[in-house]
Structures are given as C-alpha cells and as structure tokens.
Amino acid sequence: RSGPIPQQIAEFVQMQALVAVRDPSRVVRHTAGTVITTVVNCMGIAACRPTLDRLAEYLADSNVQVVEGSFSALNKICEDLVTSLTQNRDAPSELTQPFVGWCTERLLPKVFDFAQLAAPVQARQ
C-alpha cells in the first residue's frame, strides 16, 4: 500500500473508472482496471466494496466488452491481493477476511457461472 487517498477523491476516481470499464476501447477498459486496482491497494477492500460489487455485477452484462473489462479489472485486483495475502500469511484474519469473504460471497459464484458449458463461448475464453 502506498497510503490512503482522501475518501472523496477515491470515490470520484472509482466512479469514473467504473464508467471507463464499459468503454468500447480495450485500452481504456484495461487502464480503468489498473486505476481501480491502484485505489483498492491504497484504500483497502472494505472502502472499495461498492466498486468491487459493481464490477461483479458487470460480469452479467450482455455486452461482451463490458464483461471483458470487468474480468480484466478483477483479475488485476485479485492478483495483487493474493500476492499480498501470500506475503503476509501470518496477518490477522481481520485484515484478510474482507477480501476472502468478498471473493467467496460475490466473485466466485459469478466466475463459476462462466465455467458452465451453457455460458457464452466468449465468456469462457
């Protein structure tokens, strides 16, 4: 973590990045994912939960580009947080539980939906 961002600024940046995750341009979508990942790393899961929930909701969008942008952002976030968890294996559960709980409750059920044969082919790529 590089340090907290003022809450009002973090909320504004997240709101704008969520719009950008839906952009037709792949470069814009991926950049938005990087921005969201940076905010999550600075502010923590609990402070960014509404944004993470929205990204998880976007996985059910009918627009393939929106789904791709959301997966890209969530992939970056999960990579960073899993690395952090691995490096801090002895961290108290109150520090790790927000991420683990969110993944269990919100993210994994959506990801499992994409693993089913009935899911659109582009969603399983």
Side-chain angles (χ1 to χ4, degrees), residues 71 110-125:
F71 261 125
K110 301 259 184 209
V111 171
F112 290 148
D113 287 343
F114 284 100
Q116 297 178 13
L117 289 176
V121 173
Q122 63 270 29
R124 289 185 274 134
Q125 294 178 347

Side-chain angles (χ1 to χ4, degrees), residues 50-116:
T51 298
L52 297 173
D53 288 343
R54 182 64 54 91
L55 287 171
E57 290 169 14
Y58 286 173
L59 295 177
D61 198 284
S62 61
N63 183 328
V64 175
Q65 293 174 334
V66 172
V67 174
E68 186 274 335
S70 297
F71 261 125
S72 174
L74 289 166
N75 179 57
K76 291 172 187 164
I77 292 163
C78 289
E79 278 183 14
D80 284 2
L81 292 174
V82 166
T83 298
S84 177
L85 287 176
T86 303
Q87 292 172 350
N88 300 302
R89 291 177 193 231
D90 297 328
S93 65
E94 60 268 6
L95 295 179
T96 60
Q97 184 55 36
F99 173 64
V100 173
W102 182 81
C103 286
T104 303
E105 296 166 17
R106 298 282 293 154
L107 184 58
L108 288 176
K110 301 259 184 209
V111 171
F112 290 148
D113 287 343
F114 284 100
Q116 297 178 13

Side-chain angles (χ1 to χ4, degrees), residues 16-35:
Q16 296 305 309
L18 283 171
V19 171
V21 164
R22 302 178 64 87
D23 195 90
S25 168
R26 187 172 195 259
V27 172
V28 171
R29 290 192 307 270
H30 285 225
T31 301
T34 300
V35 169

